[in-house]
Amino acid sequence: PTQAIVPSPMAATTPSSYTMLREPDPRVEFYHTETPVPGTKTTFAVWAPKDSSGKLPVLLFQSGYGHSSDGHAPFLERIAAEGFLVIAPDRSDDQQCGALGILGFLNFVSCSAVTTDGSNLALALSYAKDDQNQWMERADLSKVAMAGFSMGAAEAIN
């Protein structure tokens, strides 16, 4: 006998990503630069507390291989809500080659940008130092921390 395939009732109501399951924190403001740093494919996601007086400590955060700040948004937003200016470089060239990039990485031959020399976080620090950039006049550059996830943590160490 033939069985009918019936879609799950959850399929119509399940959001496609985690970020859709939650509302943004009303204490935090966010923007993402549109224009890459000249000569790169790097843009920046930035979070800051809405109500803050004085300068804010800065967190430079690098996502892992093949990922962007989108996957870390709830975490980074929470850090901003606690009083930090958070800057996360997004490297669109890390998403080249798809599965081939990951297979290459696992075999120590990658066709994707897996820079761990600190250069992307250095770009983020340069961005923070330019008070012409949105909210950077609020940055306390005497209080800068770096962090990352996976290969982003390796970059933070370097």
Side-chain angles (χ1 to χ4, degrees):
T2 306
Q3 274 189 319
I5 298 174
V6 180
S8 162
M10 292 298 292
T13 60
T14 304
S16 61
S17 72
Y18 171 77
T19 55
M20 293 176 68
L21 295 176
R22 53 181 289 283
E23 292 295 321
D25 189 320
R27 302 171 297 167
V28 175
E29 48 194 346
F30 169 80
Y31 73 90
H32 198 283
T33 62
E34 293 180 19
T35 305
V37 174
T40 74
K41 293 184 179 181
T42 303
T43 56
F44 302 103
V46 183
W47 292 262
K50 286 183 181 176
D51 299 322
S52 63
S53 60
K55 298 281 190 171
L56 299 168
V58 177
L59 174 65
L60 307 176
F61 182 88
Q62 184 61 71
S63 60
Y65 174 81
H67 294 278
S68 70
S69 61
D70 292 343
H72 304 285
F75 171 65
L76 299 175
E77 183 180 78
R78 178 59 191 249
I79 292 172
E82 296 300 323
F84 286 80
L85 182 62
V86 179
I87 305 169
D90 280 328
R91 308 164 294 186
S92 63
D93 50 354
D94 261 5
Q95 297 174 12
Q96 294 178 17
C97 303
L100 295 177
I102 291 172
L103 291 174
F105 167 72
L106 294 174
N107 291 294
F108 305 102
V109 180
S110 180
C111 62
S112 185
V114 291
T115 304
T116 59
D117 62 2
S119 60
N120 291 295
L121 290 173
L123 290 172
L125 182 59
S126 293
Y127 186 84
K129 288 180 177 179
D130 186 349
D131 63 5
Q132 298 301 306
N133 290 326
Q134 187 174 345
W135 304 337
M136 294 309 119
E137 73 284 353
R138 298 162 61 188
D140 182 347
L141 296 173
S142 70
K143 297 178 182 175
V144 177
M146 290 183 284
F149 178 76
S150 191
M151 288 199 80
E155 182 170 353
I157 292 170
N158 290 320

